[in-house]
Amino acid sequence: MKFLLFVTFFISTLSFSQQDSLFLAKIERIQSKVLNEERILNVYVPEGYHPDSAKTYPVIYVLDGSSNEDFIHMTGIVQFLVMSQQMTPSIVVGIANVDRKRDFTYPTTIEKDKQDFPTTGHSEEFIRFLETECIPFVQTYYKTNDHRTLTGQSLGGLLASEILLKKTALFNKYLIVSPSFWWNNQSLLNQFKEKSNRYKELGTKVFIAVGKEHPMMVKDTKTFAKYLSYQLDETKRNFMEFKKEDHATILHAAAFEGLKWLEKEK
């Protein structure tokens, strides 16, 4: 309920300031050569943002960022945390989906999954879109600095974990919620067993969360947190289990706590 109040207050504040219209975000359209399709970005800028100012802002990239998915909810939480001085003013970029099963999964060897989800297995292309088209676009047209956060839940959490493993430096901070490590018999999860110093060297911070969900998802997420504990100390890695939240409700609670924790300097 409290998160609904956050968003309600956020919308009310915008309505009051603009009276006759509600302006939440600018819709940007990118013709992606990598994906061979048009992609939509929903972009929120914080209060006081001005394109001619020398001030720059961190960017929070939201997977499942369509207007009818997680973009409005995440933006409301960010705005509230900024308003309550628990977070630095930030730009929020919601990456709208076209086919999340296609974009958020790597190829699987499981024949049934290939049959049930025939478009899957193209995360490599989507990651290349993020790296070579999406992020450069935002950096070109908005007042950004070098601080970037990636947020993802479920299959989005799987993709965020894949980026953490394979393209770590693409983001400084990761908010990974209920990742779908079951994909391809936990093959991505198993790759985190290998100890690496690259996260520490890059100063990467990772917040991991899971709720009262499928037992496999809970177990895999805890295993993921354990593997990262071998590579990052508690100032750079945090795990929270939200036992009162299920798969449908955990995102708000996890984002609220996770974004606050990721903001901490130590």
Side-chain angles (χ1 to χ4, degrees):
M1 177 62 73
K2 63 182 180 180
F3 294 106
L4 179 59
L5 291 175
F6 296 164
V7 176
T8 301
F9 179 84
F10 175 44
I11 294 174
S12 299
T13 302
L14 289 174
S15 297
F16 178 78
S17 64
Q18 308 217 3
Q19 295 185 2
D20 295 329
S21 63
L22 175 64
F23 180 77
L24 175 63
K26 183 175 182 180
I27 299 174
E28 301 279 12
R29 300 177 186 274
I30 301 177
Q31 188 60 45
S32 171
K33 294 181 180 179
V34 173
L35 300 174
N36 193 31
E37 64 190 10
E38 182 182 78
R39 298 303 299 244
I40 292 176
L41 305 180
N42 296 307
V43 184
Y44 162 81
V45 296
E47 183 178 357
Y49 176 93
H50 195 284
D52 295 330
S53 170
K55 185 175 181 179
T56 59
Y57 297 84
V59 184
I60 299 168
Y61 289 84
V62 179
L63 301 173
D64 294 315
S66 300
S67 59
N68 63 342
E69 294 175 313
D70 297 336
F71 173 71
I72 292 176
H73 314 299
M74 292 294 292
T75 299
I77 293 169
V78 169
Q79 190 272 348
F80 178 83
L81 290 174
V82 171
M83 181 189 69
S84 58
Q85 299 183 337
Q86 299 181 78
M87 187 176 174
T88 303
S90 302
I91 297 168
V92 182
V93 176
I95 305 167
N97 279 325
V98 172
D99 182 348
R100 71 192 298 270
K101 291 184 177 67
R102 177 197 70 186
D103 292 337
F104 294 176
T105 60
Y106 51 89
T108 180
T109 59
I110 310 303
E111 290 301 324
K112 187 176 187 307
D113 287 343
K114 291 180 183 180
Q115 294 172 7
D116 292 345
F117 311 110
T119 66
T120 56
H122 295 275
S123 60
E124 182 179 352
E125 291 96 323
F126 187 76
I127 294 170
R128 192 159 69 250
F129 158 72
L130 289 177
E131 182 177 21
T132 65
E133 295 180 327
C134 177
I135 292 173
F137 177 89
V138 174
Q139 290 177 324
T140 298
Y141 293 102
Y142 289 88
K143 305 293 290 186
T144 69
N145 55 37
D146 293 332
H147 297 283
R148 295 191 294 269
T149 299
L150 179 64
T151 74
Q153 180 192 12
S154 196
L155 284 179
L158 178 70
L159 178 70
S161 301
E162 184 179 0
I163 294 172
L164 173 64
L165 180 71
K166 299 176 181 179
K167 288 283 186 177
T168 310
L170 206 51
F171 299 91
N172 315 100
K173 302 175 183 179
Y174 292 79
L175 176 66
I176 299 174
V177 182
S178 306
S180 297
F181 282 126
W182 57 268
W183 183 254
N184 195 36
N185 284 340
Q186 289 91 10
S187 62
L188 182 69
L189 176 62
N190 292 332
Q191 293 181 60
F192 281 96
K193 288 181 182 178
E194 180 183 350
K195 293 185 178 180
S196 170
N197 290 322
R198 68 181 178 278
Y199 306 121
K200 187 179 297 185
E201 291 168 356
L202 292 168
T204 308
K205 292 189 72 172
V206 185
F207 182 89
I208 307 157
V210 72
K212 185 179 180 181
E213 307 178 63
H214 191 286
M216 180 183 290
M217 179 166 282
V218 175
K219 180 181 177 182
D220 287 348
T221 305
K222 288 181 176 179
T223 300
F224 176 50
K226 182 180 73 173
Y227 289 160
L228 283 186
S229 72
Y230 302 149
Q231 305 171 49
L232 291 169
D233 64 34
E234 61 184 11
T235 67
K236 298 295 185 180
R237 176 261 322 152
N238 194 11
F239 168 72
M240 291 185 69
E241 185 174 5
F242 296 82
K243 294 184 177 181
K244 294 184 178 181
E245 308 296 340
D246 60 25
H247 199 67
T249 64
I250 186 176
L251 181 61
H252 281 181
F256 186 72
E257 295 299 333
L259 290 172
K260 284 195 298 181
W261 182 83
L262 288 168
E263 183 75 10
K264 295 177 182 178
E265 291 298 322
K266 295 183 180 179

